[in-house]
Amino acid sequence: MNWTSFQTYNDAPTRAFEILCNQLFENWCKEEYKSKLLSFHVVNGAGGDGGVESYAVLSDNKIVGLQAKWFPDSITANQITQIKNSIQTALKVRHTITRYIVCVPRDLASLTGKGENTEDKRWNDMKLEMLKIYPDLTLELWDET
């Protein structure tokens, strides 16, 4: 996808990407969880989003959360820290999150022979760190593909 041509309808690209991810997430939740889906909520992030853009509450009171990160050019170590902080905030605010999805508008760079600290390595390292702290959490990446 050519994100430079992303139609934002006069909104900031960050906000437009969040809206797109929320819509995809809501439709996915309806398909994935069907009758187990009790409710779906989009968070008004004006005062902070509590680590999620939107979330779904399931019939067993477990929560599936979504966080969109408008990182169109690269995912640096600082941005991985932002993702990690969002996960920690989300789990602090909504204790019953068992599945957390992070959306980014790009596929992660992988090994090329030019260096070892790639985006996918940073993601995987952060994921392993989070899963050690939160072993019952399923952490997923929804990327461009």
Side-chain angles (χ1 to χ4, degrees):
M1 180 169 212
N2 182 354
W3 290 104
T4 60
S5 299
F6 184 43
Q7 180 53 263
T8 63
Y9 298 98
N10 297 318
D11 212 341
T14 302
R15 180 70 183 127
F17 183 67
E18 290 171 2
I19 292 167
L20 172 65
C21 292
N22 286 337
Q23 291 171 347
L24 292 171
F25 179 58
E26 180 178 15
N27 288 333
W28 176 83
C29 285
K30 288 176 180 176
E31 182 63 29
E32 179 78 5
Y33 295 106
K34 299 184 185 344
S35 64
K36 293 179 185 175
L37 180 64
L38 284 184
S39 61
F40 179 84
H41 308 270
V42 174
V43 176
N44 179 339
D49 62 15
V52 294
E53 312 302 340
S54 55
Y55 63 97
V57 179
L58 307 179
S59 58
D60 59 3
N61 289 319
K62 291 180 180 174
I63 294 176
V64 181
L66 174 104
Q67 179 62 256
K69 292 293 188 185
W70 177 250
F71 300 151
D73 299 319
S74 66
I75 298 180
T76 65
N78 287 340
Q79 291 167 325
I80 288 290
T81 299
Q82 287 180 38
I83 293 169
K84 185 167 93 170
N85 290 341
S86 293
I87 294 166
Q88 292 171 323
T89 298
L91 291 164
K92 183 179 178 183
V93 172
R94 295 176 178 86
H95 306 289
T96 60
I97 290 177
T98 57
R99 192 170 186 178
Y100 190 88
I101 299 164
V102 178
C103 295
V104 295
R106 61 190 318 278
D107 291 327
L108 302 185
S110 192
L111 289 175
T112 63
K114 295 180 183 178
E116 298 296 320
N117 193 16
T118 60
E119 290 174 326
D120 63 350
K121 181 179 183 330
R122 286 191 290 270
W123 167 264
N124 288 327
D125 288 349
M126 181 275 302
K127 182 176 178 179
L128 288 173
E129 180 184 347
M130 291 292 94
L131 295 180
K132 284 180 185 175
I133 299 167
Y134 309 104
D136 296 327
L137 180 67
T138 300
L139 183 56
E140 299 174 31
L141 177 67
W142 286 4
D143 55 21
E144 185 173 15
T145 304

